[in-house]
Every structure is written in C-alpha cells, then in structure tokens.
Amino acid sequence: MYKKVILIFIVLLFIWIWKDYKKIDTSFVNQSSITYSYQNLNNKYLKKIHKFINSKYENFLYDNVKSQKNYWRVEDQAERDKLAEFRFLKTEKNHTETDINLINTGTNWYRSHGNNTSNRFSSLKKINNNNANNLKIAWIFEHKDFLNDIQANPIVVDGIIYTPITGGYIAAIDGENGNLIWKSKQYGNFVGKRGLLYHKPNNKGGISKLYFSNRENLICINAENGKSVISFGKNGKIRTGLNVLTPVIYKDKIIIVTWDHAIEVYNLKNGSREWKLKYKKDINKRVGGKKFINNGYNPWGGISLDDNRGILYFTTGNPHFYFDGTLRPGDNPRSNSIIAVDINKKKVVWSFQETSHDIWNSDIPSPPILSSINFENKRIDVVIAPTKRANTLILDRVTGRPIFDFRYRKTPTSKIKGEKTSSYQPYLELPESFGRNEFFFEDLWSYDPKKLEKIKKQYKNHKIGFYSTYELGRKNLQYNFNGGAEWMGASVNHLNGIMYVTSNNIPWETSVVQIDDKTSKIPSYSSNFRRALDDKGFPITKPPWGTISAIDLNTGKIKWQIPFGEYDELSKKGVEITGTENFGGVTGSEGNVLFATGTLDKKFYVFDSNNGALLYSKLLPFIGSAPPTTYSIKGKQYVIVHATGGKTLKTGYPDLVDIGNKIVSFSLN
C-alpha cells in the first residue's frame, strides 16, 4: 500500500510538471500546436527547481565538454583581417513596377500615421508656406488631474479627434473647439501606445468602431460613445500576445503583430481568432554550456499593409541583451529587420536585416512606409524604413531586394570572451546617411575651450569607431542608442518621393561589465549606458544634436538638412543653433509645409518643405510627444499636437522635461 501511494505521488508529480512545461496553441499555421519549454513555466517553485538544476548542468558541460569550454575563447582578429574591406549586395534591374498610384491622406485620418501605408503626409493645402507665419493657437485640451507621456499620432474622422489621453483613457474630442465628447473607461497607460484604427462599416445600420492595442489585449469600442463593443471577443476585448502597435484591417480580418514573435489574425466582426504565424524560429541548443538566448526581436515601431497585394510589413527590434551577444551566436536573423508576410498565403515572403548580431541596440524602431518612387525611368513600389543607424532602407516591396547597391564594411572583432561578432555591417553610399553612426575623436566639442580640454582628457581612452566592439575595463563612445530615427519614423510625400525625417546625433557612453556570479564558472555580462553630457547637460560632441532631413528617395540624395530645436542658453552665447534631442516627429502636407515637434525647447515648428526655412514656431506648455496630425473642418485646416513631455527625454534631461497633459490645436484664425 505504501509503495502504491509513493508511485501514485510520483506519477501525479510528473504529470503536474509535464503540464506546466507544456503549452497548447492550435492557431499556428507554421509550428506544432504543442510546445515544451522552460519558458512556459508558471509555477514559481518549478522555476526555482529548474534554475537550480540548469545551473548545475551548465557547470558540468563547461567542465567536461571541450567544445563547450572552448566556446568562451576570444575572437581571432588575425582571421578577420584576412577578409576584404568591403562586400556588396548588388541591386536587381527589374524592380516591381507600381500597380496602383498612392495618394496622400485627405480630410480624414483613419489610422495613426495616416493610413495603411504609414506615410503620415497630408494632401491639405489651406495652411501653406505663404501663410503659415499667421498660425494661432485655436484651442487647448487639458485632461486635468492626469499626467502621462502620450506617444500616439491622433486620428480624425468627420471633425472628431480620437486619441489616447493622459490617465490611460481613449477620448473623442471636437476638432473645432477642443471640447470633450466622450471618454472611455480607464485602460492604463499602455492603451493605444502607438495609435488607433477607425473602421466605418459598409452597411448603413452598422456602428463605427475604434480598434487599439492594450498590452495583451486587442480592444474594440464604439466610436460614437466610447463603450465596449460586446460582440467583439469577450465584452469588447480579445486576449493576444503583448503588442503596442496600431492594428491593420485586411478584407474581413484585423491583424496585429506581437512580442510573442507572431502575426495574429482575427475576425473583424466578432474577434474570433483565425490563425497565427510565427515569424522567428525558436532555437533550443546549448552554447558554451548555457542555453541559447532567443529573446528580443520585438516589433514595436509599426506595421503597414499593401492592401492590393495582401502583404503585411513590420519592423523588428534588437535581440537581447543590448551589448552582450555571447549567448546568441550567429546573425540572429529577423532581428533588426523589415519583414514581409503574405496574408493570403499565410507565410513570410521575405525579410531584410540591417544590423546583424546586434550588440549596439541598433533596432529598427520606425514604422515601415509603403510608397512608390521613380527609378531608372520606371515607377516602382517600395517599402522604406529610416533607422537608428541613420540609414534609409529602400527595398522592393515584393522581393525585398535593396533598390540601391547595398555596401557592407568589415568590422572589428570583440575582446569579450564568447562574443561572436558579424564580420560585416552596413556602410551605405546611397541613400545618403541622415545622421552619424561612427564616432571620431574629432567629434568632441564644447562651447567653452577650457571645457573641451577636460572633455578630451576624460574620454581619451574610450573606444570609438565603426561598429566598435567592447572589452572589459574600457568604455565606448557611440551614437545611435537613441537615434538617428526613432519610433516616430518619417513623413513621405507619395507624389514626389521625398521623405522628411527627424533624427538625433547624441553621444552615449557604453560598456560591458562581467557579473560576479560565484555559482557559475561560465562568464556572464551586463550592459551599462548613459548619455555623454557635460556638466551643463549639453552633449559632448559637435552639433547638430537634432536634425530634420529631406531625402529624395528617387535618387537617395539628401536635399537639405537643418538643426531641429534650440538651446537658448547657447544661442545667447553666440553659438549657432545646435538642434536638440527630440522625440515628437514631423508631418508634411502638400501645402509645402512641415509640422514638427518634440524638441527640448518645447516648441511647435513649421518649416518650408522645399528648403527647410523656418516659417513659424510657438512655445508649447509641455514638449510635443507624438507626431502632429492635420485635418479639415468646414474648409478650415487645423494641426494638433500632443504636448505631454516625453519619458525618454525626461530620463536624460530631468531639469528640462516635465510630464504633461495637453493637446494643442493650431489654425490660421
């Protein structure tokens, strides 16, 4: 009897453990419905037991398996030196010709960033380069008692603004006077993080709806009153993987891309799940005794849709962890990439990676933009992504091949034990870079010559250069940790193929530190980083620190570039306008104007899109925190800006940035 009880207990224990390791999801079209992984564990005791056993097994492999111990050797620079300095991915001659002429967004702005192409460019012309200097504040909306950083580009339909507001709500606001029409229930500060989608039904009796993400949920509410649409999912929401992006609608489907590395497709009407597609392969192996780290790759910039072809595009983030890639050898494909998925065929049709085996935090955070350009006497369809490396990726929309020859340059090896760097990284000739991605000591700068000498002494032993790698006990100076282009992306004029993009040239001090772990014989590391600023909070490198660039996508050439933002203190000292770090964005219109915000000086700007000349500026109550939206009511054009500060800027410039709660509207009278 006693033995039977023990046996039953062991069997039940095994079943309990087995069930916790197991995950069932029958929705995937490209992987098994049942997966087994320690990452599926929910029970905290099992997690502790697994961690303990895994630690012992790691040390055993390191001590007893030669290949696992040898993994932790330092890379051989001599072998890297034998490689050619450059290699090229040549463009193809027969690019995909345009099948439909795209137009810019008009009176209504149905989706954040304008439409499914995410080009964020308006056809409105009432505000133009001849009268923009006459702009006035039309109204200010304030959500009292709530402060929060809003990063969503507002949408406007039939004169009503729909947007997340501070406090974690969705609101409908009268676009003519700024009066609140309705406010949804409180969802939390992740609600509609990157924007909203408005859908108007074809049938006369149907209600208009708003769709948006809220972490692990996709939400649907009535656009007329903000109430949950109870027929969608469970009382207006469906459980999804973690997601922050604006959904897209294709035929009778609504589509999101999640941090579970999956495209998730749902029925537009009732929210039932139709299918899911994994865009990244899971890797289950040991490297240097430890488990391969396969995390990151998260989509957080945006998604776009070619409605005619049924192809979905999205950009992905860096693999974990920041500057330490020792446990993920290889290129880490589909990280730092643009990925195209055929919705009808339910498969990834291509992916294109910028930085391979990223150990610099060089993810692609901006939404992919679908447009058409003139190239070699043809009108061709392309997808565009400005990147944190200050590159502009322009790819054939169907094949994923670059439009211009793609040049790669040899990179240095790492001195970190176990790091396996990529031999080559992008070093583009065309399109021209709109910012800095290689650090030189000549970049060091100060408005004060005495300070400059101190700066040179302080940083003289830091590592610099093209994709400079790390070594213990020595720090790096690098750009691109928070720029060139960030999550705000760019504005593209479909009519002439000109892209306008905000960018940052901020230096960062970075390093890798070995963790003192007495329970393991295997090296492990952590990443450290901070902005490299002087004692007054100014970047230690030559301006401009923030820019707006106009890039001709047809030729890859920069038309013009201007500093974006101003430090009054430096201007009073006679320093030319430096630009500032910025996280707001630019929106263009066919009136030959650019509406821009997000600079540390808290201003809203209007520039001439032909040459970058300043037409108008106005101090906002708080820093603009999302790209502007422009719309028309009764023939009158308005521009609105979320002025809520910005948490990213707050961490770097706490004395300059306050978190706010306002929306500011501008018009001509």
Side-chain angles (χ1 to χ4, degrees):
M1 183 67 182
Y2 177 75
K3 290 182 178 181
K4 286 184 178 180
V5 171
I6 296 295
L7 181 61
I8 292 172
F9 174 77
I10 292 173
V11 170
L12 291 175
L13 180 63
F14 175 80
I15 293 173
W16 176 58
I17 295 173
W18 171 74
K19 286 182 67 177
D20 211 33
Y21 268 86
K22 182 182 65 170
K23 183 178 180 180
I24 299 176
D25 192 332
T26 60
S27 304
F28 282 102
V29 296
N30 64 337
Q31 74 170 27
S32 172
S33 298
I34 303 175
T35 58
Y36 297 92
S37 172
Y38 70 95
Q39 292 181 331
N40 295 335
L41 290 174
N42 292 308
N43 186 277
K44 64 179 181 180
Y45 298 109
L46 284 181
K47 287 181 179 180
K48 288 182 179 179
I49 293 170
H50 174 87
K51 184 177 180 180
F52 175 79
I53 295 173
N54 182 64
S55 176
K56 298 299 182 183
Y57 185 53
E58 287 175 353
N59 288 330
F60 172 82
L61 292 174
Y62 183 81
D63 287 336
N64 297 281
V65 181
K66 187 176 180 180
S67 61
Q68 299 289 345
K69 188 168 187 175
N70 288 344
Y71 177 87
W72 295 99
R73 292 176 176 173
V74 174
E75 287 185 306
D76 187 351
Q77 181 66 50
E79 288 298 312
R80 183 70 54 86
D81 290 341
K82 295 176 183 178
L83 300 176
E85 185 67 18
F86 299 100
R87 66 180 180 88
F88 296 85
L89 176 60
K90 292 290 186 179
T91 184
E92 295 177 347
K93 296 298 181 183
N94 298 317
H95 293 294
T96 304
E97 294 191 40
T98 299
D99 64 349
I100 187 171
N101 289 320
L102 296 169
I103 60 173
N104 296 315
T105 301
T107 300
N108 292 322
W109 201 273
Y110 290 105
R111 184 173 180 264
S112 292
H113 295 289
N115 49 54
N116 284 348
T117 72
S118 302
N119 76 313
R120 206 170 70 230
F121 199 97
S122 171
S123 64
L124 300 180
K125 302 177 183 178
K126 287 292 179 70
I127 300 172
N128 55 61
N129 55 349
N130 293 318
N131 60 24
N133 61 313
N134 295 320
L135 281 170
K136 306 287 184 184
I137 291 178
W139 50 261
I140 296 178
F141 172 87
E142 179 182 6
H143 194 207
K144 293 182 179 180
D145 303 321
F146 294 99
L147 301 174
N148 189 47
D149 173 26
I150 301 296
Q151 299 180 359
N153 174 234
I155 62 176
V156 185
V157 180
D158 297 334
I160 300 176
I161 300 166
Y162 302 97
T163 183
I165 57 173
T166 54
Y169 301 87
I170 301 296
I173 299 167
D174 190 317
E176 195 170 12
N177 53 37
N179 292 334
L180 181 68
I181 298 173
W182 55 255
K183 183 173 71 173
S184 73
K185 68 179 182 181
Q186 191 172 31
Y187 289 102
N189 290 335
F190 244 72
V191 62
K193 183 74 172 180
R194 289 284 184 261
L196 307 172
L197 172 64
Y198 179 100
H199 178 65
K200 197 170 188 175
N202 294 325
N203 57 314
K204 292 183 179 180
I207 62 171
S208 296
K209 303 171 184 176
L210 295 173
Y211 296 90
F212 50 89
S213 298
N214 185 31
R215 291 187 63 89
E216 292 89 359
N217 292 295
L218 178 62
I219 309 292
C220 178
I221 63 176
N222 188 324
E224 296 177 4
N225 55 26
K227 303 295 183 183
S228 298
V229 176
I230 60 174
S231 60
F232 183 82
K234 185 177 181 180
N235 296 323
K237 69 178 181 180
I238 51 178
R239 182 78 173 181
T240 67
L242 177 62
N243 70 103
V244 299
L245 306 180
T246 309
V248 294
I249 291 173
Y250 178 63
K251 296 180 178 177
D252 60 347
K253 311 175 194 307
I254 185 163
I255 306 166
I256 59 173
V257 186
T258 74
W259 289 19
D260 289 344
H261 312 122
I263 294 88
E264 300 189 11
V265 181
Y266 297 89
N267 181 279
L268 179 63
K269 185 176 180 180
N270 58 33
S272 61
R273 183 184 295 159
E274 297 196 354
W275 53 271
K276 293 164 66 174
L277 174 75
K278 203 85 168 180
Y279 67 78
K280 178 181 73 71
K281 290 183 179 180
D282 291 327
I283 298 175
N284 185 19
K285 67 177 183 180
R286 294 271 171 174
V287 289
K290 293 198 172 187
K291 291 184 176 180
F292 188 101
I293 298 295
N294 203 34
N295 300 328
Y297 306 65
N298 296 325
W300 60 280
I303 56 179
S304 300
L305 176 72
D306 184 328
D307 302 83
N308 195 42
R309 295 185 177 97
I311 301 178
L312 181 81
Y313 302 84
F314 58 98
T315 52
T316 59
N318 52 293
H320 293 165
F321 297 94
Y322 283 128
F323 315 140
D324 173 19
T326 56
L327 299 183
R328 47 174 173 86
D331 286 346
N332 310 134
R334 296 189 179 171
S335 65
N336 306 67
S337 298
I338 303 177
I339 300 177
V341 175
D342 190 314
I343 299 301
N344 295 309
K345 295 180 180 179
K346 302 179 183 178
K347 69 175 186 178
V348 174
V349 289
W350 60 259
S351 64
F352 188 91
Q353 186 176 51
E354 184 192 24
T355 298
S356 54
H357 191 79
D358 178 19
I359 53 171
W360 301 272
N361 190 37
S362 296
D363 50 286
I364 304 180
S366 60
I369 300 168
L370 309 185
S371 195
S372 303
I373 63 172
N374 298 317
F375 188 76
E376 295 184 344
N377 300 317
K378 292 180 180 178
R379 186 79 172 161
I380 61 173
D381 284 345
V382 294
V383 54
I384 307 132
T387 75
K388 288 173 74 171
R389 301 295 308 190
N391 294 321
T392 303
L393 304 182
I394 310 178
L395 311 177
D396 185 296
R397 215 187 296 171
V398 174
T399 67
R401 297 281 295 186
I403 302 304
F404 300 96
D405 288 347
F406 207 86
R407 182 175 66 169
Y408 295 88
R409 178 180 168 187
K410 184 171 60 177
T411 57
T413 56
S414 174
K415 292 187 178 181
I416 299 292
K417 289 181 179 180
E419 192 63 82
K420 309 289 188 293
T421 58
S422 291
S423 300
Y424 291 92
Q425 297 290 0
Y427 189 64
L428 304 187
E429 294 177 289
L430 289 176
E432 293 177 331
S433 175
F434 54 83
R436 302 175 192 157
N437 56 27
E438 181 176 359
F439 204 103
F440 300 93
F441 275 122
E442 292 78 10
D443 294 347
L444 295 175
W445 177 92
S446 175
Y447 62 91
D448 183 339
K450 292 182 180 180
K451 281 190 176 184
L452 178 57
E453 289 306 310
K454 291 181 180 179
I455 289 170
K456 287 180 177 179
K457 289 179 181 179
Q458 180 180 351
Y459 293 100
K460 67 179 180 179
N461 293 321
H462 283 54
K463 287 191 69 178
I464 59 170
F466 178 73
Y467 279 93
S468 181
T469 54
Y470 305 97
E471 59 182 273
L472 298 179
R474 190 177 180 187
K475 295 179 180 180
N476 285 29
L477 282 175
Q478 69 175 63
Y479 296 113
N480 313 109
F481 191 90
N482 264 3
E486 269 290 343
W487 56 263
M488 304 80 65
S491 176
V492 172
N493 187 347
H494 284 322
L495 302 186
N496 61 13
I498 307 299
M499 180 180 81
Y500 305 93
V501 60
T502 54
S503 180
N504 295 314
N505 292 314
I506 303 298
W508 285 71
E509 184 180 70
T510 58
S511 63
V512 171
V513 178
Q514 186 162 347
I515 299 171
D516 183 17
D517 184 0
K518 295 180 180 179
T519 66
S520 177
K521 301 177 181 179
I522 303 173
S524 58
Y525 309 98
S526 65
S527 302
N528 295 330
F529 45 89
R530 69 174 185 88
R531 290 172 176 84
L533 309 176
D534 68 13
D535 58 349
K536 291 285 188 177
F538 301 124
I540 62 166
T541 51
K542 293 176 182 176
W545 300 317
T547 63
I548 296 180
S549 304
I551 301 171
D552 188 336
L553 301 174
N554 308 285
T555 64
K557 297 282 189 178
I558 293 177
K559 290 189 63 180
W560 54 259
Q561 185 177 87
I562 58 170
F564 182 38
E566 181 179 9
Y567 285 100
D568 287 338
E569 182 179 344
L570 292 179
S571 295
K572 290 175 182 177
K573 294 178 183 291
V575 178
E576 290 187 11
I577 294 177
T578 61
T580 76
E581 188 169 351
N582 57 93
F583 277 81
V586 59
T587 299
S589 87
E590 291 179 24
N592 295 316
V593 289
L594 303 174
F595 308 111
T597 191
T599 49
L600 287 169
D601 56 18
K602 297 199 298 186
K603 290 180 181 179
F604 166 71
Y605 286 97
V606 184
F607 300 99
D608 190 318
S609 62
N610 294 310
N611 51 30
L614 177 63
L615 302 174
Y616 175 81
S617 67
K618 183 69 176 180
L619 189 67
L620 297 170
F622 301 96
I623 292 172
S625 56
T629 295
T630 185
Y631 59 94
S632 178
I633 302 176
K634 300 174 185 176
K636 183 177 179 179
Q637 187 178 352
Y638 297 81
V639 185
I640 52 172
V641 180
H642 267 294
T644 65
K647 290 183 179 178
T648 302
L649 292 176
K650 180 71 173 177
T651 58
Y653 310 90
D655 295 335
L656 298 180
V657 182
D658 294 316
I659 304 301
N661 59 356
K662 292 180 171 60
I663 301 173
V664 183
S665 173
F666 296 87
S667 67
L668 288 174
N669 50 52

